[in-house]
């Protein structure tokens, strides 16, 4: 999925998503058990994109403040951690990632 049909299908309105449970587990988090903090660690609960179960309520997966991945019912508020996918050859440079000095992302000029 992409925003532009030039490179992709143009199906996205906004080029951002939430992480899936697979991506979170590849970063080192485990299902319903202690995980060593990874680069995703924030010391707060945040939503994943992956659904968990639908019984009398809808549940989705979250990463909690201790880094474990588990299922929780969908409530009215919560923290999201948006994620983007960078094209091969992307170069991240400049900035410190803050709102005042964000990272910049450029394509490698040798890749078209």
């Amino acid at each position: 999925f992409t925003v532009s049909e030039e490179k992709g299908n143009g199906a996205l309105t906004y080029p951002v998503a939430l992480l899936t449970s697979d991506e979170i587990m590849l970063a080192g988090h485990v299902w319903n058990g202690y995980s060593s903090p990874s680069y995703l660690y924030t010391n707060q609960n945040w939503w994943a994109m992956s659904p968990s179960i639908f019984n009398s309520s809808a549940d989705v997966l979250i990463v909690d403040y201790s880094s474990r991945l588990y299922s929780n019912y969908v409530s009215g508020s919560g923290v999201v951690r948006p994620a983007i996918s960078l094209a091969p050859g992307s170069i991240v440079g400049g900035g410190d990632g803050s709102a005042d000095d964000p990272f910049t992302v450029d394509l490698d000029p040798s890749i078209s």
Side-chain angles (χ1 to χ4, degrees):
F1 294 99
T2 63
V3 175
S4 167
E5 289 186 16
E6 183 178 324
K7 288 188 176 180
N9 64 5
L12 290 177
T13 303
Y14 303 104
V16 66
L18 301 180
L19 294 173
T20 66
S21 59
D22 291 339
E23 293 164 325
I24 294 165
M25 292 177 86
L26 283 171
H29 298 262
V30 296
W31 172 253
N32 204 18
Y34 176 77
S35 301
S36 297
S38 74
Y39 66 92
L40 298 175
Y41 181 71
T42 62
N43 196 32
Q44 61 186 357
N45 296 351
W46 50 275
W47 299 103
M49 182 171 64
S50 300
S52 174
I53 191 172
F54 183 82
N55 197 354
S56 60
S57 67
D59 286 17
V60 294
L61 297 178
I62 69 168
V63 176
D64 76 357
Y65 62 90
S66 65
S67 288
R68 75 183 173 134
L69 180 65
Y70 73 99
S71 179
N72 198 7
Y73 64 92
V74 176
S75 66
S77 64
V79 175
V80 295
R81 299 216 35 211
I84 59 172
S85 295
L86 300 177
S90 297
I91 300 170
V92 178
D96 61 12
S98 68
D100 293 328
D101 191 17
F103 295 122
T104 59
V105 179
D106 296 306
L107 286 177
D108 182 339
S110 66
I111 300 174
S112 300

